[in-house]
Amino acid sequence: MSVPARVRERAAQLRAALHEHAYRYYVLDAPAITDAEYDRLLRELRDLEAEYPELVTPDSPTQRVGAPPAAAFRPVRHRAPMLSLANAFDDAELEAWARRLRTVLGAEPVAFVCELKIDGAAVSLTYADGVLVRGATRGDGEQGEDVTANLRTIRSVPLRLRGAAPPLVEVRGEVYLPRSAFEAVNAEREARGEPRFANPRNAAAGSLRQLDPQVTAGRPLDIFVYGLGAAEGLAPASHWESLAWLRAAGFRTTPHARRCRALEEVKAFIRHWTAARATLDYDTDGVVVKVDAVAQQAELGTTAQAPRWAIAYKFPAAQAVTRLVDIAVSVGRTGALTPTAVLEPVRVSGVTVTSATLHNEDEVRRKDVRIGDWVLVQRAGDVIPEVVAPLPERRTGHERVFVMPDRCPICQTPVERPEGEAVTRCPNLACPAQIHLRLVHFASRDAMHIDGLGEKIIAQLLERGLVRDPADLYRLTAADLLTLDRMGEKLAQNLLDAIAGSRRTTLARLLYALGIRHVGAHVAARLAEQFPTVQALADASFEAIRDIPGIGPAIAASVHGFFRQEVNRRLVERLLAAGVVPEAPQGAAAPGPLAGAQLVFTGTLSRWTRKEAEALARAAGASTADGVTKKTTYVVAGTAPGSKLEKARRLGVRVLTEDEFARLAGA
């Protein structure tokens, strides 16, 4: 039958759009649409070609697995193709796939294996006589890029297989960047003036395509292997046996794989991980369901693009597209002006998102985000909404370029942007926004810990003129508090008792409570170790502060500058006069088993939190630091250690396990 002109035109549009988006995804590592949008476009084209077979062209995206590899690396041809997977988006499509299996296999029993679909970069590892000889990206499925040197930097990739090895085997896996490491990598890139990665998947792909393996080595990539390609002298009877062999050979496989004997068990597995995936330290966008028996896989066969014996059940998209209707500017505790995207409400990972961070003015310009744009939004780590990128192809010409205001939106003071910094600030310490947030910070748990003094009560105290700064809190009376909304006598007395109890605190808590820029709880503890009183720190020179291990010039300049401002020195004097008694750390001078040592912690610790481990080190007489230098005595490495571990090895610093650290510390 003849093809209507509108259908032919729509098919041409879909082919062009899919080619462009495949190029941006596979070659540039800069996707412009979500996976869900791409899947919808591809399915529409497939439906059109199924209805009108004469529309199929040799270059149709339905006739190929992926985009060609980038030209920066030597091409590698896979011995067995790395095929794509057909997708299911609901139970009905999963059941339809199962019915298609039955048409081929008849009534014989079918077992399935379910595995989480890791959202990273697919690779193939080739081993000859048990030794890693080549690692390659997936590329277009037939041919990828040689990234052997980069894959060798991933410590969970075995360089030699355990046990008896076949003459040749291709192992397939997914390289990913743990969520816990993603923000750290982006923070390091920002510090170097480099653009942030949009998500962990892009970070993993970008890391694998570095020409310098040292760059890759500095990023804590990991891998899960999920199957075999071509193999000689190895013939497992089932996929489940393949996974067992991979584990025995020394590979890291997903701990959440499950063998299911019925489709209802598969559905239960999918339901569980749809809800539980947020608990993982890596991104997963679905569940891969495979027929277990290799003989049945062979009987089912493959299409040109995908095996008929496997399907990917996709979770609801973690990204979405919506319109950015405005860019609002908020003022933080330290005076930082932060642009925030005001969005048309959109559902992302089951949550309605109405705003998203844009970080700073430079980030807005780098992404070229404009008011009125259609934008790609995601929840970073499925938690914090952020704008990934605009969709310039949807612009109408009515969008507006964002300009950072030249005056504070709260107090109208002219703003400042210090040279070399990305953040614009309001310099007015009396700015109402800063005062409010500084008081909230002062009363917070890790600071003065004034239980019951929350944001709403602080807002009322400011509105009624009862406080202007933290020192005024200690002048409050019951009569003052009883003027507040919903404040009874008992609640007022409880709050007064909490304020009074906070007078006796530690020097570290007070320094943190003051809200000095760059001084978190960890840095405050470091300063309190070196200076016995707040007055001693206030009188210290820049050099004396800078030379404290783990401080450095930026923090020293901030601390030194804080105490050079008369308004801040007066605040400290008023706090002391109000009876605040900050105590220096006790027993700091007592010798311990780690006396004189400097420790750095990296990775996730299983026995303690980071704060607990550092406290244990200090109790044993050691100091702790954030970075590894020649002065570092030991580096304590947990799971998924970062670049600190590599630097320690380069400098010859001894690396301790948690157990070794515990023995040295006498824990």
Side-chain angles (χ1 to χ4, degrees), residues 526-592:
R526 186 69 47 76
L527 293 170
E529 290 172 358
Q530 302 297 321
F531 297 97
T533 66
V534 67
Q535 294 94 330
L537 177 58
D539 294 338
S541 66
F542 165 79
E543 291 76 14
I545 303 171
R546 179 199 61 197
D547 292 341
I548 298 172
I551 297 299
I555 297 174
S558 178
V559 175
H560 187 259
F562 178 89
F563 287 110
R564 301 285 77 73
Q565 296 185 42
E566 187 60 31
V567 64
N568 294 331
R569 294 181 74 98
R570 284 202 305 270
L571 171 62
V572 172
E573 291 170 358
R574 292 179 60 227
L575 286 169
L576 298 177
V580 174
V581 182
E583 299 176 349
Q586 297 299 308

Coordinates of all heavy atoms in Angstrom, one line a residue, residues 526-592:
R526 N 39.7 21.4 64.3 CA 41.2 21.5 64.1 C 41.7 22.8 64.7 O 42.8 22.8 65.3 CB 41.4 21.5 62.5 CG 42.8 21.5 62.1 CD 43.5 20.1 62.4 NE 42.7 19.0 62.0 CZ 42.5 18.6 60.8 NH1 43.1 19.2 59.8 NH2 41.8 17.5 60.5
L527 N 41.0 23.9 64.5 CA 41.4 25.2 65.1 C 41.4 25.1 66.6 O 42.3 25.6 67.3 CB 40.4 26.3 64.6 CG 40.5 26.6 63.1 CD1 39.3 27.5 62.7 CD2 41.8 27.2 62.7
A528 N 40.4 24.4 67.2 CA 40.3 24.4 68.6 C 41.4 23.5 69.2 O 41.8 23.7 70.4 CB 39.0 23.8 69.0
E529 N 42.0 22.6 68.4 CA 43.1 21.8 68.9 C 44.4 22.7 69.0 O 45.3 22.4 69.9 CB 43.4 20.7 67.9 CG 42.3 19.6 67.9 CD 42.6 18.6 66.8 OE1 43.6 18.8 66.0 OE2 41.8 17.6 66.6
Q530 N 44.5 23.7 68.2 CA 45.7 24.5 68.2 C 45.7 25.7 69.0 O 46.7 26.2 69.4 CB 46.0 24.9 66.7 CG 46.1 23.7 65.7 CD 47.3 22.8 66.1 OE1 48.4 23.3 66.5 NE2 47.1 21.5 66.0
F531 N 44.5 26.3 69.3 CA 44.4 27.5 70.0 C 43.5 27.3 71.2 O 42.3 26.8 71.1 CB 43.8 28.6 69.2 CG 44.6 29.0 68.0 CD1 44.3 28.4 66.7 CD2 45.7 29.8 68.1 CE1 45.1 28.8 65.6 CE2 46.5 30.2 67.0 CZ 46.2 29.6 65.8
P532 N 44.0 27.6 72.4 CA 43.2 27.2 73.7 C 42.0 28.1 73.9 O 41.1 27.6 74.6 CB 44.3 27.5 74.8 CG 45.2 28.5 74.2 CD 45.3 28.2 72.8
T533 N 41.9 29.3 73.4 CA 40.8 30.2 73.6 C 40.4 30.8 72.3 O 41.2 30.9 71.3 CB 41.1 31.3 74.6 OG1 42.1 32.1 74.1 CG2 41.6 30.7 75.9
V534 N 39.2 31.4 72.2 CA 38.7 32.1 71.0 C 39.5 33.4 70.9 O 39.8 33.8 69.8 CB 37.2 32.4 71.1 CG1 36.9 33.3 72.2 CG2 36.7 32.9 69.8
Q535 N 40.0 34.0 72.0 CA 40.8 35.2 71.9 C 42.1 34.9 71.3 O 42.6 35.7 70.5 CB 41.0 35.8 73.3 CG 39.7 36.3 74.0 CD 39.1 35.3 74.9 OE1 39.2 34.1 74.7 NE2 38.4 35.8 75.9
A536 N 42.7 33.7 71.6 CA 44.0 33.4 71.0 C 43.9 33.2 69.5 O 44.8 33.6 68.8 CB 44.5 32.1 71.7
L537 N 42.8 32.6 69.1 CA 42.6 32.5 67.6 C 42.3 33.9 67.0 O 42.9 34.1 65.9 CB 41.4 31.6 67.4 CG 41.0 31.4 65.9 CD1 42.2 30.8 65.1 CD2 39.8 30.5 65.8
A538 N 41.6 34.7 67.7 CA 41.3 36.0 67.1 C 42.6 36.8 66.9 O 42.7 37.7 66.0 CB 40.3 36.8 68.0
D539 N 43.5 36.6 67.8 CA 44.8 37.4 67.8 C 45.9 36.7 66.9 O 47.0 37.3 66.7 CB 45.3 37.6 69.2 CG 44.4 38.5 70.0 OD1 43.6 39.3 69.4 OD2 44.5 38.4 71.3
A540 N 45.6 35.5 66.4 CA 46.6 34.8 65.7 C 46.9 35.4 64.3 O 46.0 36.0 63.7 CB 46.2 33.3 65.5
S541 N 48.1 35.2 63.8 CA 48.5 35.8 62.5 C 48.0 34.8 61.4 O 47.6 33.7 61.7 CB 50.0 35.8 62.4 OG 50.6 34.5 62.4
F542 N 47.9 35.3 60.2 CA 47.5 34.5 59.1 C 48.4 33.3 58.9 O 47.9 32.2 58.7 CB 47.5 35.4 57.8 CG 47.5 34.6 56.5 CD1 46.3 34.1 56.0 CD2 48.6 34.3 55.8 CE1 46.2 33.3 54.9 CE2 48.6 33.6 54.7 CZ 47.4 33.1 54.2
E543 N 49.7 33.5 59.1 CA 50.7 32.4 58.9 C 50.4 31.3 60.0 O 50.6 30.1 59.7 CB 52.1 33.0 59.0 CG 52.5 33.8 57.8 CD 51.9 35.2 57.9 OE1 51.4 35.6 59.0 OE2 52.0 35.9 56.9
A544 N 50.2 31.7 61.2 CA 50.0 30.7 62.3 C 48.7 29.9 62.0 O 48.7 28.7 62.3 CB 49.8 31.4 63.6
I545 N 47.7 30.5 61.4 CA 46.5 29.7 61.1 C 46.8 28.8 59.9 O 46.4 27.6 59.8 CB 45.3 30.6 60.9 CG1 45.1 31.5 62.1 CG2 44.1 29.8 60.5 CD1 44.0 32.6 61.9
R546 N 47.4 29.4 58.9 CA 47.7 28.7 57.6 C 48.5 27.4 57.8 O 48.3 26.4 57.1 CB 48.4 29.6 56.7 CG 48.7 29.0 55.3 CD 49.8 29.8 54.6 NE 51.0 29.8 55.4 CZ 52.0 30.7 55.2 NH1 52.0 31.6 54.3 NH2 53.1 30.6 56.0
D547 N 49.4 27.5 58.8 CA 50.4 26.3 58.9 C 49.8 25.2 59.7 O 50.5 24.2 59.9 CB 51.7 26.8 59.6 CG 52.5 27.8 58.7 OD1 52.2 27.7 57.5 OD2 53.3 28.5 59.2
I548 N 48.5 25.3 60.2 CA 47.9 24.2 60.9 C 47.6 23.1 59.8 O 47.1 23.4 58.8 CB 46.6 24.6 61.5 CG1 46.9 25.7 62.6 CG2 45.9 23.4 62.2 CD1 45.6 26.3 63.2
P549 N 48.0 21.8 60.1 CA 47.7 20.8 59.1 C 46.3 20.7 58.7 O 45.3 20.7 59.6 CB 48.1 19.5 59.9 CG 49.1 19.9 60.9 CD 48.7 21.3 61.3
G550 N 46.0 20.7 57.4 CA 44.7 20.6 56.9 C 43.9 21.9 56.8 O 42.8 21.9 56.4
I551 N 44.6 23.0 57.1 CA 43.9 24.3 57.0 C 44.2 25.0 55.6 O 43.3 25.0 54.8 CB 44.3 25.2 58.1 CG1 43.9 24.6 59.4 CG2 43.7 26.6 57.9 CD1 42.4 24.5 59.6
G552 N 45.4 25.4 55.3 CA 45.7 26.0 54.1 C 45.3 27.5 54.0 O 44.7 28.0 54.8
P553 N 45.8 28.1 52.9 CA 45.6 29.6 52.8 C 44.2 30.1 52.7 O 43.9 31.2 53.2 CB 46.4 29.9 51.5 CG 46.6 28.6 50.8 CD 46.5 27.6 51.8
A554 N 43.3 29.4 51.9 CA 42.0 29.9 51.8 C 41.2 30.0 53.1 O 40.6 31.0 53.4 CB 41.2 29.0 50.8
I555 N 41.3 28.9 53.9 CA 40.6 28.9 55.2 C 41.2 29.9 56.1 O 40.6 30.6 56.8 CB 40.6 27.4 55.8 CG1 39.9 26.5 54.9 CG2 40.0 27.4 57.2 CD1 39.9 25.0 55.3
A556 N 42.6 29.9 56.1 CA 43.3 30.8 57.0 C 42.9 32.3 56.7 O 42.7 33.1 57.6 CB 44.8 30.6 56.8
A557 N 42.8 32.6 55.4 CA 42.4 34.0 55.0 C 41.0 34.3 55.5 O 40.7 35.4 56.0 CB 42.5 34.2 53.5
S558 N 40.1 33.3 55.4 CA 38.7 33.6 55.9 C 38.7 33.7 57.4 O 38.0 34.7 57.9 CB 37.9 32.4 55.5 OG 36.5 32.5 55.9
V559 N 39.4 32.9 58.2 CA 39.4 33.0 59.6 C 40.0 34.3 60.1 O 39.5 35.0 60.9 CB 40.1 31.8 60.2 CG1 40.2 31.9 61.8 CG2 39.3 30.5 59.9
H560 N 41.2 34.5 59.5 CA 41.9 35.8 59.9 C 41.1 37.0 59.6 O 41.0 37.9 60.4 CB 43.3 35.8 59.2 CG 44.2 36.9 59.6 ND1 44.4 38.0 58.9 CD2 45.0 37.0 60.7 CE1 45.2 38.8 59.5 NE2 45.6 38.2 60.6
G561 N 40.5 37.0 58.4 CA 39.7 38.2 58.0 C 38.5 38.4 58.8 O 38.1 39.5 59.1
F562 N 37.9 37.2 59.3 CA 36.7 37.3 60.1 C 37.0 38.1 61.4 O 36.2 39.0 61.8 CB 36.2 35.9 60.5 CG 35.0 35.9 61.4 CD1 33.7 35.9 60.8 CD2 35.1 35.8 62.7 CE1 32.6 35.9 61.7 CE2 34.0 35.7 63.6 CZ 32.8 35.8 63.1
F563 N 38.1 37.8 62.0 CA 38.4 38.4 63.3 C 39.1 39.8 63.1 O 39.3 40.5 64.1 CB 39.3 37.5 64.1 CG 38.6 36.3 64.7 CD1 38.9 35.0 64.3 CD2 37.7 36.5 65.7 CE1 38.2 33.9 64.8 CE2 37.0 35.4 66.3 CZ 37.3 34.1 65.8
R564 N 39.3 40.2 61.9 CA 39.8 41.5 61.7 C 38.7 42.5 61.6 O 38.9 43.7 61.6 CB 40.6 41.6 60.4 CG 41.9 40.7 60.3 CD 43.1 41.2 61.2 NE 43.0 41.0 62.6 CZ 43.1 39.8 63.2 NH1 43.3 38.7 62.5 NH2 43.0 39.7 64.5
Q565 N 37.4 42.0 61.5 CA 36.3 42.9 61.4 C 35.8 43.2 62.8 O 35.5 42.3 63.6 CB 35.2 42.2 60.6 CG 35.5 42.0 59.1 CD 34.4 41.4 58.3 OE1 33.2 41.9 58.5 NE2 34.6 40.5 57.5
E566 N 35.7 44.5 63.1 CA 35.3 44.9 64.4 C 34.0 44.4 64.9 O 33.8 44.0 66.0 CB 35.4 46.4 64.5 CG 35.2 47.0 65.9 CD 36.3 46.5 66.9 OE1 37.4 46.3 66.4 OE2 36.0 46.4 68.1
V567 N 33.0 44.3 63.9 CA 31.7 43.8 64.3 C 31.7 42.4 64.8 O 31.0 42.0 65.7 CB 30.7 44.0 63.1 CG1 31.1 43.1 61.9 CG2 29.3 43.7 63.5
N568 N 32.6 41.6 64.2 CA 32.7 40.2 64.6 C 33.4 40.1 66.0 O 33.1 39.2 66.8 CB 33.5 39.4 63.6 CG 32.7 39.3 62.3 OD1 31.5 39.3 62.3 ND2 33.4 39.2 61.2
R569 N 34.5 40.9 66.2 CA 35.1 40.8 67.5 C 34.2 41.3 68.6 O 34.2 40.7 69.7 CB 36.4 41.7 67.5 CG 37.5 41.2 66.5 CD 38.7 42.1 66.5 NE 39.5 41.9 67.8 CZ 40.6 41.1 67.8 NH1 41.0 40.4 66.8 NH2 41.2 41.0 69.0
R570 N 33.4 42.3 68.3 CA 32.4 42.7 69.4 C 31.4 41.6 69.7 O 31.0 41.5 70.8 CB 31.7 44.0 68.9 CG 32.5 45.3 69.0 CD 31.6 46.5 69.0 NE 30.7 46.6 67.9 CZ 31.0 47.2 66.7 NH1 32.1 47.8 66.6 NH2 30.1 47.2 65.8
L571 N 31.0 40.9 68.6 CA 30.0 39.8 68.8 C 30.6 38.8 69.8 O 29.9 38.3 70.7 CB 29.6 39.2 67.5 CG 28.8 37.9 67.6 CD1 27.5 38.1 68.2 CD2 28.6 37.2 66.2
V572 N 31.9 38.4 69.5 CA 32.5 37.4 70.4 C 32.6 37.9 71.8 O 32.3 37.2 72.8 CB 33.9 37.0 69.9 CG1 34.7 36.2 70.9 CG2 33.8 36.3 68.5
E573 N 33.0 39.2 72.0 CA 33.1 39.8 73.3 C 31.7 39.8 74.0 O 31.6 39.5 75.2 CB 33.6 41.2 73.2 CG 35.0 41.3 72.8 CD 35.5 42.7 72.5 OE1 34.6 43.6 72.6 OE2 36.6 43.0 72.1
R574 N 30.6 40.1 73.3 CA 29.3 40.1 73.9 C 28.8 38.7 74.3 O 28.2 38.5 75.3 CB 28.3 40.7 72.9 CG 28.5 42.2 72.7 CD 27.5 42.8 71.8 NE 26.2 42.7 72.2 CZ 25.2 42.2 71.5 NH1 25.4 41.9 70.2 NH2 24.0 42.2 72.0
L575 N 29.2 37.7 73.5 CA 28.9 36.3 73.8 C 29.6 35.9 75.1 O 29.0 35.2 76.0 CB 29.3 35.3 72.6 CG 28.4 35.4 71.4 CD1 29.0 34.6 70.3 CD2 27.0 34.8 71.7
L576 N 30.8 36.2 75.2 CA 31.6 35.8 76.4 C 31.0 36.6 77.6 O 30.9 36.0 78.7 CB 33.1 36.2 76.2 CG 33.8 35.4 75.1 CD1 35.2 35.9 75.0 CD2 33.7 33.9 75.4
A577 N 30.6 37.8 77.4 CA 30.1 38.6 78.5 C 28.7 38.1 78.9 O 28.3 38.2 80.1 CB 29.9 40.1 78.1
A578 N 28.0 37.4 78.0 CA 26.7 36.8 78.3 C 26.8 35.5 79.0 O 25.8 34.9 79.3 CB 25.9 36.7 77.0
G579 N 28.1 35.1 79.3 CA 28.3 33.8 80.0 C 28.6 32.6 79.2 O 28.6 31.5 79.7
V580 N 28.8 32.8 77.9 CA 29.1 31.6 77.0 C 30.6 31.2 77.4 O 31.5 32.1 77.4 CB 29.1 32.0 75.5 CG1 29.6 30.8 74.7 CG2 27.6 32.3 75.2
V581 N 30.8 30.0 77.8 CA 32.1 29.5 78.3 C 32.5 28.4 77.4 O 32.2 27.2 77.6 CB 32.0 29.0 79.8 CG1 33.3 28.6 80.2 CG2 31.4 30.1 80.7
P582 N 33.3 28.7 76.4 CA 33.8 27.7 75.5 C 35.0 27.0 76.1 O 36.0 27.6 76.4 CB 34.2 28.4 74.2 CG 34.5 29.8 74.7 CD 33.7 30.1 75.9
E583 N 35.0 25.7 76.2 CA 36.1 24.9 76.7 C 37.0 24.4 75.6 O 36.5 23.9 74.6 CB 35.5 23.7 77.6 CG 34.7 24.2 78.8 CD 34.1 23.0 79.5 OE1 34.2 21.9 79.0 OE2 33.5 23.2 80.6
A584 N 38.3 24.4 75.8 CA 39.2 23.9 74.9 C 39.1 22.3 75.0 O 38.7 21.8 76.0 CB 40.6 24.4 75.1
P585 N 39.6 21.6 73.9 CA 39.6 20.1 74.0 C 40.3 19.6 75.2 O 41.4 20.1 75.5 CB 40.2 19.7 72.7 CG 40.0 20.9 71.8 CD 40.1 22.1 72.6
Q586 N 39.8 18.6 75.9 CA 40.4 18.1 77.1 C 41.4 17.0 76.7 O 41.1 16.2 75.8 CB 39.4 17.5 78.0 CG 38.4 18.6 78.6 CD 39.1 19.7 79.3 OE1 39.9 19.4 80.3 NE2 38.9 20.9 79.0
G587 N 42.5 16.9 77.4 CA 43.4 15.8 77.2 C 44.2 15.9 76.0 O 44.8 14.9 75.5
A588 N 44.2 17.1 75.3 CA 45.0 17.1 74.0 C 46.4 16.9 74.2 O 47.1 16.4 73.3 CB 44.7 18.5 73.4
A589 N 47.0 17.2 75.3 CA 48.4 17.1 75.5 C 48.8 15.7 76.0 O 50.0 15.4 76.0 CB 48.9 18.1 76.6
A590 N 47.8 14.9 76.4 CA 48.2 13.6 76.9 C 48.7 12.7 75.7 O 48.2 12.7 74.6 CB 46.9 12.9 77.4
P591 N 49.8 12.0 76.0 CA 50.4 11.2 74.9 C 49.5 10.0 74.6 O 48.8 9.5 75.5 CB 51.7 10.7 75.5 CG 51.5 10.8 77.0 CD 50.6 12.0 77.2
G592 N 49.5 9.5 73.4 CA 48.7 8.4 73.0 C 49.5 7.5 72.1 O 50.6 7.8 71.7

